[in-house]
Amino acid sequence: MRLILVSNRVSIPTDSGSQRAGGLEVVLAPTLKRYEGVWFGWSGQVVPRAQVTTKTIQKSAQTYVLTDLSEEDHKEFYRGFANSVLWPILHYRIDLAEFNRRDLSGYMRVNDLFADELAKVALSADLLWVHDYHFIPLADKLRERGLTNRIGFFLHVPFPAPEFITVLPHHERLLSSLLQYDLIGFQTDGDVQNFIRYVIAEKRGSNIGVFEATNKQVVLNFDGRQIRVGAFPVGIDTVEFERRARRAAQSSFVKEVVESLDGRALIIGVDRLDYSKGLPQRMEAVELFFSNWPDWRNKVTYLQIAPKSRSEIEEYLELAQTLSAIAGRINGKFGEAAWTPIRYINRAYSRTALAGLYRAARVGLVTPLRDGMNLVAKEYVSAQNAEDPGVLILSRFAGAAAECRDALLVNPFDAESVASAIARALEMPLSERRDRYNHIIQTLSLNSSDVWGARFLRSLEQLELVGTNAESWERLAMSDAT
Ligand code: ADP
Ligand code: F6P
């Protein structure tokens, strides 16, 4: 069986190993390597409509099929509906959603375009795995074109409480199209529950059966079809990442950074420059930390690496300006001639360089306001030296919090709690650091990106029902109705 992956971004291996920031590429690249498969997506090129082409690139056993976007498609599909409507709503930022019908039709048009191109390459036995919020209606479009293949969908970002989803105009039409997939995967059990609550509320009165399978998946019987829904948290290869970090710690790049700290402790943050990552709130918590724990001034440096992302969108531009201003203000307030409290950098680094920096950092500060998973949290822990590990401070609103119960879990909206977590992390005794690290790494090591991909694809291949317990979800439906 051949695997066809579909996602907006596609990561083609480069000789330099350079990396665009983004969790989806990081987990899908190793998954594709395991299969003789095709990865289908956007070429990253925006061209006039008449020049839009689809090209095929062969690298070892993997095939990449890349389609350009026209200027109009990029504006309405990518910048518009995907990233100015769906992204904010899925991250609970309904205040930032800017809906208009033109963007919705651009979104549908690009899904049609992808369906046309996919229908040309997909063979009847192929397994199709579609990724993320850019392609919610793709299975529906493929079914319209006669494809009967098994098609799975995985949402890398959160699925919010139904009250947030229903803010989206025409949500019923868009989200009903998800029911054309055979398997729908989310990052956490919480996302699955939100989705099922949404389906139950919206489909009340229609003929939908909701059952819980014994393998913790939920089964929807709808329109004579069976759709399975489950949590498949993305993971990373912890052993490989630790090895990479150990090697990188010896590199001249990391050594130079460590020397430049002049014995000071390092706190590290690594995030795309995105409002979901809570960067202004994080910097303000650092400011509070320096105010309330003056003894730590000049003894610790906070390095925030935040490569620019989606810079053509206004909110992202504003965020970039806000952050530069906050970092400047804090450095002006606490900095000294020989010490800059915050090093704020907008460039991307190789995965290896990041691994080395994580290992050198006493504290990993990962405080998104909402995040589907957050791989940086998992990378930070994996990169640590087991004998002398650093401490992860993690937002309770990141999907990763479900697997990192022994991190210092914080509410990123509460600057005081983040500031005191920083002080606690810096002062934490070695035995406690080791205990926390051991617990987290044990859990993370059970779930690499390979295991994640294999689990999802196994489920997609074997769609038979394992056994159901009709009651639990019907009870939920009833309590929802009251
Ligand atoms: P998201 O998918 O929202 O960007 P994640 O934390 O899940 O968030 O994934 C981000 C991925 O991008 C991680 O693997 C991280 O190492 C990588 N990344 C983040 N910042 C950089 C950077 N400056 N340079 C290179 N890779 C980065
Ligand atoms: O995980 C969220 C995500 O949308 C990924 O799909 C992608 O890797 C990353 O953010 C970067 O976003 P964009 O593709 O819009 O640059």
Side-chain angles (χ1 to χ4, degrees), residues 192-235:
V192 172
Q193 281 164 19
N194 284 339
F195 177 68
I196 298 298
R197 276 181 55 213
Y198 171 83
V199 169
I200 288 172
E202 289 304 313
K203 295 283 175 205
R204 184 164 297 129
S206 67
N207 203 9
I208 190 159
V210 183
F211 306 98
E212 194 168 6
T214 45
N215 58 0
K216 277 187 77 185
Q217 290 182 5
V218 179
V219 180
L220 305 175
N221 279 338
F222 183 64
D223 239 5
R225 301 183 59 252
Q226 210 170 67
I227 303 109
R228 294 220 313 225
V229 184
F232 298 85
V234 295

mmCIF file of all heavy atoms in Angstrom, residues 192-235:
data_model
loop_
_atom_site.group_PDB
_atom_site.id
_atom_site.type_symbol
_atom_site.label_atom_id
_atom_site.label_comp_id
_atom_site.label_asym_id
_atom_site.label_seq_id
_atom_site.Cartn_x
_atom_site.Cartn_y
_atom_site.Cartn_z
ATOM 1 N N VAL A 192 -10.254 15.571 21.398
ATOM 2 C CA VAL A 192 -11.246 14.580 20.943
ATOM 3 C C VAL A 192 -12.581 14.886 21.606
ATOM 4 O O VAL A 192 -13.631 14.914 20.949
ATOM 5 C CB VAL A 192 -10.792 13.138 21.306
ATOM 6 C CG1 VAL A 192 -11.909 12.132 21.016
ATOM 7 C CG2 VAL A 192 -9.536 12.765 20.532
ATOM 8 N N GLN A 193 -12.548 15.135 22.922
ATOM 9 C CA GLN A 193 -13.808 15.396 23.631
ATOM 10 C C GLN A 193 -14.491 16.648 23.111
ATOM 11 O O GLN A 193 -15.710 16.674 22.942
ATOM 12 C CB GLN A 193 -13.542 15.514 25.128
ATOM 13 C CG GLN A 193 -13.386 14.145 25.759
ATOM 14 C CD GLN A 193 -12.740 14.203 27.124
ATOM 15 O OE1 GLN A 193 -12.719 15.263 27.755
ATOM 16 N NE2 GLN A 193 -12.206 13.083 27.566
ATOM 17 N N ASN A 194 -13.698 17.685 22.843
ATOM 18 C CA ASN A 194 -14.299 18.911 22.291
ATOM 19 C C ASN A 194 -14.971 18.634 20.949
ATOM 20 O O ASN A 194 -16.064 19.119 20.672
ATOM 21 C CB ASN A 194 -13.235 19.995 22.102
ATOM 22 C CG ASN A 194 -12.839 20.635 23.417
ATOM 23 O OD1 ASN A 194 -13.583 20.571 24.401
ATOM 24 N ND2 ASN A 194 -11.675 21.250 23.454
ATOM 25 N N PHE A 195 -14.290 17.851 20.117
ATOM 26 C CA PHE A 195 -14.845 17.555 18.791
ATOM 27 C C PHE A 195 -16.145 16.749 18.925
ATOM 28 O O PHE A 195 -17.145 17.051 18.269
ATOM 29 C CB PHE A 195 -13.818 16.785 17.950
ATOM 30 C CG PHE A 195 -14.344 16.383 16.598
ATOM 31 C CD1 PHE A 195 -14.625 17.341 15.636
ATOM 32 C CD2 PHE A 195 -14.580 15.050 16.287
ATOM 33 C CE1 PHE A 195 -15.127 16.988 14.384
ATOM 34 C CE2 PHE A 195 -15.076 14.683 15.042
ATOM 35 C CZ PHE A 195 -15.351 15.651 14.094
ATOM 36 N N ILE A 196 -16.131 15.747 19.778
ATOM 37 C CA ILE A 196 -17.328 14.908 19.929
ATOM 38 C C ILE A 196 -18.479 15.735 20.515
ATOM 39 O O ILE A 196 -19.625 15.620 20.078
ATOM 40 C CB ILE A 196 -17.018 13.668 20.806
ATOM 41 C CG1 ILE A 196 -15.952 12.803 20.129
ATOM 42 C CG2 ILE A 196 -18.285 12.866 21.086
ATOM 43 C CD1 ILE A 196 -16.329 12.238 18.775
ATOM 44 N N ARG A 197 -18.150 16.590 21.471
ATOM 45 C CA ARG A 197 -19.208 17.463 22.032
ATOM 46 C C ARG A 197 -19.799 18.334 20.935
ATOM 47 O O ARG A 197 -21.000 18.551 20.860
ATOM 48 C CB ARG A 197 -18.615 18.372 23.128
ATOM 49 C CG ARG A 197 -18.551 17.687 24.490
ATOM 50 C CD ARG A 197 -17.986 18.630 25.534
ATOM 51 N NE ARG A 197 -18.718 19.893 25.603
ATOM 52 C CZ ARG A 197 -18.161 21.073 25.889
ATOM 53 N NH1 ARG A 197 -16.867 21.170 26.103
ATOM 54 N NH2 ARG A 197 -18.890 22.160 25.940
ATOM 55 N N TYR A 198 -18.930 18.835 20.066
ATOM 56 C CA TYR A 198 -19.400 19.668 18.952
ATOM 57 C C TYR A 198 -20.323 18.855 18.030
ATOM 58 O O TYR A 198 -21.408 19.303 17.670
ATOM 59 C CB TYR A 198 -18.202 20.227 18.166
ATOM 60 C CG TYR A 198 -18.631 20.897 16.890
ATOM 61 C CD1 TYR A 198 -19.073 22.213 16.894
ATOM 62 C CD2 TYR A 198 -18.631 20.200 15.678
ATOM 63 C CE1 TYR A 198 -19.516 22.818 15.716
ATOM 64 C CE2 TYR A 198 -19.067 20.798 14.511
ATOM 65 C CZ TYR A 198 -19.509 22.107 14.536
ATOM 66 O OH TYR A 198 -19.958 22.702 13.391
ATOM 67 N N VAL A 199 -19.869 17.640 17.667
ATOM 68 C CA VAL A 199 -20.650 16.810 16.733
ATOM 69 C C VAL A 199 -22.008 16.486 17.347
ATOM 70 O O VAL A 199 -23.047 16.596 16.688
ATOM 71 C CB VAL A 199 -19.879 15.505 16.387
ATOM 72 C CG1 VAL A 199 -20.775 14.525 15.638
ATOM 73 C CG2 VAL A 199 -18.655 15.831 15.547
ATOM 74 N N ILE A 200 -21.991 16.112 18.621
ATOM 75 C CA ILE A 200 -23.253 15.738 19.276
ATOM 76 C C ILE A 200 -24.212 16.928 19.283
ATOM 77 O O ILE A 200 -25.397 16.791 18.961
ATOM 78 C CB ILE A 200 -22.973 15.223 20.710
ATOM 79 C CG1 ILE A 200 -22.325 13.833 20.621
ATOM 80 C CG2 ILE A 200 -24.268 15.155 21.519
ATOM 81 C CD1 ILE A 200 -21.829 13.294 21.942
ATOM 82 N N ALA A 201 -23.684 18.104 19.618
ATOM 83 C CA ALA A 201 -24.560 19.279 19.693
ATOM 84 C C ALA A 201 -25.089 19.650 18.311
ATOM 85 O O ALA A 201 -26.267 19.955 18.149
ATOM 86 C CB ALA A 201 -23.792 20.453 20.290
ATOM 87 N N GLU A 202 -24.236 19.588 17.298
ATOM 88 C CA GLU A 202 -24.644 20.053 15.966
ATOM 89 C C GLU A 202 -25.495 19.049 15.220
ATOM 90 O O GLU A 202 -26.301 19.415 14.388
ATOM 91 C CB GLU A 202 -23.404 20.389 15.120
ATOM 92 C CG GLU A 202 -22.694 21.636 15.566
ATOM 93 C CD GLU A 202 -23.602 22.853 15.599
ATOM 94 O OE1 GLU A 202 -24.343 23.080 14.627
ATOM 95 O OE2 GLU A 202 -23.572 23.567 16.620
ATOM 96 N N LYS A 203 -25.268 17.772 15.500
ATOM 97 C CA LYS A 203 -25.984 16.745 14.730
ATOM 98 C C LYS A 203 -27.195 16.235 15.490
ATOM 99 O O LYS A 203 -27.784 15.225 15.105
ATOM 100 C CB LYS A 203 -25.050 15.559 14.409
ATOM 101 C CG LYS A 203 -23.907 15.926 13.488
ATOM 102 C CD LYS A 203 -24.374 16.044 12.053
ATOM 103 C CE LYS A 203 -23.267 16.532 11.155
ATOM 104 N NZ LYS A 203 -23.731 17.193 9.953
ATOM 105 N N ARG A 204 -27.532 16.893 16.590
ATOM 106 C CA ARG A 204 -28.698 16.455 17.361
ATOM 107 C C ARG A 204 -29.912 16.425 16.418
ATOM 108 O O ARG A 204 -30.117 17.345 15.644
ATOM 109 C CB ARG A 204 -28.928 17.425 18.517
ATOM 110 C CG ARG A 204 -30.053 16.994 19.417
ATOM 111 C CD ARG A 204 -30.013 17.723 20.738
ATOM 112 N NE ARG A 204 -28.798 17.404 21.481
ATOM 113 C CZ ARG A 204 -27.993 18.314 21.999
ATOM 114 N NH1 ARG A 204 -28.244 19.585 21.848
ATOM 115 N NH2 ARG A 204 -26.924 17.944 22.662
ATOM 116 N N GLY A 205 -30.665 15.320 16.508
ATOM 117 C CA GLY A 205 -31.842 15.245 15.638
ATOM 118 C C GLY A 205 -31.526 14.520 14.341
ATOM 119 O O GLY A 205 -32.403 13.967 13.705
ATOM 120 N N SER A 206 -30.261 14.495 13.922
ATOM 121 C CA SER A 206 -29.946 13.730 12.705
ATOM 122 C C SER A 206 -29.522 12.330 13.161
ATOM 123 O O SER A 206 -29.313 12.076 14.341
ATOM 124 C CB SER A 206 -28.837 14.396 11.907
ATOM 125 O OG SER A 206 -27.650 14.321 12.634
ATOM 126 N N ASN A 207 -29.373 11.446 12.189
ATOM 127 C CA ASN A 207 -29.179 10.055 12.557
ATOM 128 C C ASN A 207 -27.702 9.740 12.769
ATOM 129 O O ASN A 207 -27.071 9.090 11.963
ATOM 130 C CB ASN A 207 -29.774 9.208 11.421
ATOM 131 C CG ASN A 207 -30.133 7.848 11.936
ATOM 132 O OD1 ASN A 207 -30.096 7.620 13.152
ATOM 133 N ND2 ASN A 207 -30.459 6.950 11.028
ATOM 134 N N ILE A 208 -27.154 10.203 13.909
ATOM 135 C CA ILE A 208 -25.735 9.909 14.140
ATOM 136 C C ILE A 208 -25.596 9.067 15.397
ATOM 137 O O ILE A 208 -26.242 9.328 16.408
ATOM 138 C CB ILE A 208 -24.900 11.211 14.227
ATOM 139 C CG1 ILE A 208 -23.411 10.871 14.228
ATOM 140 C CG2 ILE A 208 -25.263 12.063 15.435
ATOM 141 C CD1 ILE A 208 -22.518 12.009 13.813
ATOM 142 N N GLY A 209 -24.805 8.018 15.302
ATOM 143 C CA GLY A 209 -24.549 7.188 16.476
ATOM 144 C C GLY A 209 -23.140 7.470 16.962
ATOM 145 O O GLY A 209 -22.214 7.587 16.160
ATOM 146 N N VAL A 210 -22.988 7.609 18.262
ATOM 147 C CA VAL A 210 -21.665 7.903 18.813
ATOM 148 C C VAL A 210 -21.317 6.823 19.830
ATOM 149 O O VAL A 210 -22.027 6.649 20.812
ATOM 150 C CB VAL A 210 -21.649 9.281 19.503
ATOM 151 C CG1 VAL A 210 -20.254 9.615 20.002
ATOM 152 C CG2 VAL A 210 -22.149 10.362 18.567
ATOM 153 N N PHE A 211 -20.272 6.086 19.573
ATOM 154 C CA PHE A 211 -19.897 4.979 20.449
ATOM 155 C C PHE A 211 -18.450 5.111 20.868
ATOM 156 O O PHE A 211 -17.629 5.652 20.135
ATOM 157 C CB PHE A 211 -20.051 3.642 19.713
ATOM 158 C CG PHE A 211 -21.422 3.458 19.129
ATOM 159 C CD1 PHE A 211 -21.650 3.746 17.792
ATOM 160 C CD2 PHE A 211 -22.479 3.028 19.913
ATOM 161 C CE1 PHE A 211 -22.908 3.592 17.242
ATOM 162 C CE2 PHE A 211 -23.747 2.877 19.374
ATOM 163 C CZ PHE A 211 -23.959 3.159 18.043
ATOM 164 N N GLU A 212 -18.159 4.554 22.021
ATOM 165 C CA GLU A 212 -16.761 4.549 22.438
ATOM 166 C C GLU A 212 -16.205 3.151 22.200
ATOM 167 O O GLU A 212 -16.753 2.172 22.710
ATOM 168 C CB GLU A 212 -16.655 4.917 23.912
ATOM 169 C CG GLU A 212 -15.241 5.243 24.283
ATOM 170 C CD GLU A 212 -15.142 5.887 25.652
ATOM 171 O OE1 GLU A 212 -16.173 5.970 26.348
ATOM 172 O OE2 GLU A 212 -14.036 6.286 26.012
ATOM 173 N N ALA A 213 -15.145 3.038 21.408
ATOM 174 C CA ALA A 213 -14.538 1.729 21.152
ATOM 175 C C ALA A 213 -13.628 1.391 22.325
ATOM 176 O O ALA A 213 -13.176 2.281 23.040
ATOM 177 C CB ALA A 213 -13.748 1.771 19.849
ATOM 178 N N THR A 214 -13.335 0.111 22.490
ATOM 179 C CA THR A 214 -12.532 -0.280 23.650
ATOM 180 C C THR A 214 -11.087 0.208 23.548
ATOM 181 O O THR A 214 -10.382 0.266 24.536
ATOM 182 C CB THR A 214 -12.528 -1.817 23.822
ATOM 183 O OG1 THR A 214 -12.306 -2.371 22.536
ATOM 184 C CG2 THR A 214 -13.834 -2.317 24.387
ATOM 185 N N ASN A 215 -10.636 0.556 22.353
ATOM 186 C CA ASN A 215 -9.269 1.068 22.225
ATOM 187 C C ASN A 215 -9.214 2.590 22.443
ATOM 188 O O ASN A 215 -8.298 3.256 21.983
ATOM 189 C CB ASN A 215 -8.680 0.729 20.848
ATOM 190 C CG ASN A 215 -9.535 1.292 19.735
ATOM 191 O OD1 ASN A 215 -10.551 1.935 19.986
ATOM 192 N ND2 ASN A 215 -9.132 1.069 18.506
ATOM 193 N N LYS A 216 -10.177 3.120 23.149
ATOM 194 C CA LYS A 216 -10.243 4.542 23.511
ATOM 195 C C LYS A 216 -10.625 5.444 22.346
ATOM 196 O O LYS A 216 -10.692 6.643 22.483
ATOM 197 C CB LYS A 216 -8.932 5.038 24.132
ATOM 198 C CG LYS A 216 -8.832 4.743 25.607
ATOM 199 C CD LYS A 216 -7.620 5.371 26.235
ATOM 200 C CE LYS A 216 -7.798 6.870 26.463
ATOM 201 N NZ LYS A 216 -6.587 7.524 26.958
ATOM 202 N N GLN A 217 -10.830 4.846 21.163
ATOM 203 C CA GLN A 217 -11.280 5.694 20.063
ATOM 204 C C GLN A 217 -12.791 5.830 20.114
ATOM 205 O O GLN A 217 -13.470 5.004 20.723
ATOM 206 C CB GLN A 217 -10.852 5.089 18.727
ATOM 207 C CG GLN A 217 -9.347 5.177 18.544
ATOM 208 C CD GLN A 217 -8.882 4.634 17.222
ATOM 209 O OE1 GLN A 217 -9.671 4.256 16.371
ATOM 210 N NE2 GLN A 217 -7.579 4.582 17.055
ATOM 211 N N VAL A 218 -13.283 6.893 19.494
ATOM 212 C CA VAL A 218 -14.719 7.093 19.438
ATOM 213 C C VAL A 218 -15.156 6.766 18.011
ATOM 214 O O VAL A 218 -14.452 7.093 17.047
ATOM 215 C CB VAL A 218 -15.077 8.551 19.797
ATOM 216 C CG1 VAL A 218 -16.574 8.777 19.711
ATOM 217 C CG2 VAL A 218 -14.580 8.879 21.198
ATOM 218 N N VAL A 219 -16.289 6.100 17.879
ATOM 219 C CA VAL A 219 -16.775 5.714 16.558
ATOM 220 C C VAL A 219 -18.065 6.474 16.268
ATOM 221 O O VAL A 219 -18.978 6.483 17.089
ATOM 222 C CB VAL A 219 -17.059 4.195 16.527
ATOM 223 C CG1 VAL A 219 -17.556 3.782 15.145
ATOM 224 C CG2 VAL A 219 -15.807 3.429 16.902
ATOM 225 N N LEU A 220 -18.099 7.125 15.121
ATOM 226 C CA LEU A 220 -19.321 7.823 14.706
ATOM 227 C C LEU A 220 -19.955 7.022 13.580
ATOM 228 O O LEU A 220 -19.272 6.700 12.595
ATOM 229 C CB LEU A 220 -18.985 9.226 14.182
ATOM 230 C CG LEU A 220 -18.194 10.156 15.111
ATOM 231 C CD1 LEU A 220 -17.841 11.453 14.384
ATOM 232 C CD2 LEU A 220 -19.001 10.464 16.355
ATOM 233 N N ASN A 221 -21.223 6.698 13.728
ATOM 234 C CA ASN A 221 -21.952 6.056 12.621
ATOM 235 C C ASN A 221 -22.799 7.135 11.978
ATOM 236 O O ASN A 221 -23.689 7.696 12.618
ATOM 237 C CB ASN A 221 -22.879 4.959 13.144
ATOM 238 C CG ASN A 221 -22.101 3.690 13.401
ATOM 239 O OD1 ASN A 221 -21.020 3.505 12.828
ATOM 240 N ND2 ASN A 221 -22.622 2.834 14.260
ATOM 241 N N PHE A 222 -22.504 7.448 10.743
ATOM 242 C CA PHE A 222 -23.207 8.552 10.107
ATOM 243 C C PHE A 222 -23.382 8.264 8.634
ATOM 244 O O PHE A 222 -22.408 7.913 7.959
ATOM 245 C CB PHE A 222 -22.416 9.856 10.323
ATOM 246 C CG PHE A 222 -23.099 11.068 9.763
ATOM 247 C CD1 PHE A 222 -24.323 11.484 10.276
ATOM 248 C CD2 PHE A 222 -22.538 11.780 8.715
ATOM 249 C CE1 PHE A 222 -24.968 12.596 9.764
ATOM 250 C CE2 PHE A 222 -23.167 12.895 8.198
ATOM 251 C CZ PHE A 222 -24.395 13.306 8.723
ATOM 252 N N ASP A 223 -24.626 8.378 8.142
ATOM 253 C CA ASP A 223 -24.875 8.249 6.702
ATOM 254 C C ASP A 223 -24.380 6.918 6.155
ATOM 255 O O ASP A 223 -23.801 6.868 5.055
ATOM 256 C CB ASP A 223 -24.090 9.374 5.977
ATOM 257 C CG ASP A 223 -25.037 10.249 5.191
ATOM 258 O OD1 ASP A 223 -26.251 10.025 5.297
ATOM 259 O OD2 ASP A 223 -24.540 11.147 4.473
ATOM 260 N N GLY A 224 -24.530 5.864 6.940
ATOM 261 C CA GLY A 224 -24.081 4.544 6.486
ATOM 262 C C GLY A 224 -22.576 4.358 6.526
ATOM 263 O O GLY A 224 -22.056 3.343 6.062
ATOM 264 N N ARG A 225 -21.841 5.351 7.067
ATOM 265 C CA ARG A 225 -20.382 5.217 7.143
ATOM 266 C C ARG A 225 -19.954 5.189 8.599
ATOM 267 O O ARG A 225 -20.671 5.648 9.478
ATOM 268 C CB ARG A 225 -19.688 6.395 6.447
ATOM 269 C CG ARG A 225 -20.037 6.538 4.990
ATOM 270 C CD ARG A 225 -19.259 7.669 4.341
ATOM 271 N NE ARG A 225 -17.825 7.452 4.455
ATOM 272 C CZ ARG A 225 -17.015 8.151 5.253
ATOM 273 N NH1 ARG A 225 -17.499 9.119 5.996
ATOM 274 N NH2 ARG A 225 -15.727 7.900 5.306
ATOM 275 N N GLN A 226 -18.751 4.656 8.800
ATOM 276 C CA GLN A 226 -18.218 4.640 10.145
ATOM 277 C C GLN A 226 -16.953 5.499 10.182
ATOM 278 O O GLN A 226 -16.052 5.304 9.379
ATOM 279 C CB GLN A 226 -17.854 3.206 10.484
ATOM 280 C CG GLN A 226 -17.978 2.916 11.937
ATOM 281 C CD GLN A 226 -17.841 1.436 12.184
ATOM 282 O OE1 GLN A 226 -16.766 0.893 11.977
ATOM 283 N NE2 GLN A 226 -18.911 0.798 12.601
ATOM 284 N N ILE A 227 -16.933 6.465 11.071
ATOM 285 C CA ILE A 227 -15.775 7.362 11.154
ATOM 286 C C ILE A 227 -15.170 7.181 12.534
ATOM 287 O O ILE A 227 -15.884 7.207 13.535
ATOM 288 C CB ILE A 227 -16.208 8.841 10.992
ATOM 289 C CG1 ILE A 227 -16.938 9.030 9.669
ATOM 290 C CG2 ILE A 227 -15.022 9.787 11.095
ATOM 291 C CD1 ILE A 227 -18.395 9.276 9.807
ATOM 292 N N ARG A 228 -13.866 7.011 12.588
ATOM 293 C CA ARG A 228 -13.236 6.840 13.910
ATOM 294 C C ARG A 228 -12.488 8.101 14.287
ATOM 295 O O ARG A 228 -11.912 8.783 13.443
ATOM 296 C CB ARG A 228 -12.305 5.657 13.860
ATOM 297 C CG ARG A 228 -13.129 4.389 13.646
ATOM 298 C CD ARG A 228 -12.635 3.265 14.435
ATOM 299 N NE ARG A 228 -11.211 3.158 14.302
ATOM 300 C CZ ARG A 228 -10.588 2.013 14.099
ATOM 301 N NH1 ARG A 228 -11.266 0.902 13.983
ATOM 302 N NH2 ARG A 228 -9.285 1.968 14.013
ATOM 303 N N VAL A 229 -12.501 8.370 15.595
ATOM 304 C CA VAL A 229 -11.880 9.599 16.105
ATOM 305 C C VAL A 229 -10.996 9.205 17.289
ATOM 306 O O VAL A 229 -11.435 8.448 18.152
ATOM 307 C CB VAL A 229 -12.973 10.577 16.598
ATOM 308 C CG1 VAL A 229 -12.349 11.897 17.038
ATOM 309 C CG2 VAL A 229 -14.022 10.827 15.513
ATOM 310 N N GLY A 230 -9.776 9.711 17.317
ATOM 311 C CA GLY A 230 -8.907 9.345 18.438
ATOM 312 C C GLY A 230 -7.796 10.349 18.677
ATOM 313 O O GLY A 230 -7.557 11.238 17.861
ATOM 314 N N ALA A 231 -7.137 10.200 19.821
ATOM 315 C CA ALA A 231 -5.987 11.061 20.149
ATOM 316 C C ALA A 231 -4.702 10.350 19.738
ATOM 317 O O ALA A 231 -4.496 9.181 20.088
ATOM 318 C CB ALA A 231 -5.967 11.363 21.642
ATOM 319 N N PHE A 232 -3.882 11.062 19.003
ATOM 320 C CA PHE A 232 -2.588 10.530 18.544
ATOM 321 C C PHE A 232 -1.536 11.621 18.788
ATOM 322 O O PHE A 232 -1.157 12.331 17.849
ATOM 323 C CB PHE A 232 -2.635 10.210 17.043
ATOM 324 C CG PHE A 232 -3.631 9.149 16.660
ATOM 325 C CD1 PHE A 232 -4.963 9.477 16.433
ATOM 326 C CD2 PHE A 232 -3.240 7.825 16.540
ATOM 327 C CE1 PHE A 232 -5.883 8.497 16.079
ATOM 328 C CE2 PHE A 232 -4.155 6.842 16.178
ATOM 329 C CZ PHE A 232 -5.480 7.177 15.958
ATOM 330 N N PRO A 233 -1.102 11.794 20.031
ATOM 331 C CA PRO A 233 -0.163 12.893 20.311
ATOM 332 C C PRO A 233 1.141 12.739 19.526
ATOM 333 O O PRO A 233 1.703 11.644 19.501
ATOM 334 C CB PRO A 233 0.097 12.775 21.822
ATOM 335 C CG PRO A 233 -0.504 11.489 22.264
ATOM 336 C CD PRO A 233 -1.431 11.001 21.208
ATOM 337 N N VAL A 234 1.600 13.805 18.872
ATOM 338 C CA VAL A 234 2.855 13.688 18.117
ATOM 339 C C VAL A 234 4.031 13.622 19.089
ATOM 340 O O VAL A 234 3.991 14.187 20.176
ATOM 341 C CB VAL A 234 3.084 14.852 17.111
ATOM 342 C CG1 VAL A 234 2.049 14.869 16.017
ATOM 343 C CG2 VAL A 234 3.135 16.190 17.820
ATOM 344 N N GLY A 235 5.066 12.883 18.669
ATOM 345 C CA GLY A 235 6.227 12.729 19.544
ATOM 346 C C GLY A 235 7.511 12.934 18.769
ATOM 347 O O GLY A 235 7.491 13.146 17.559
#
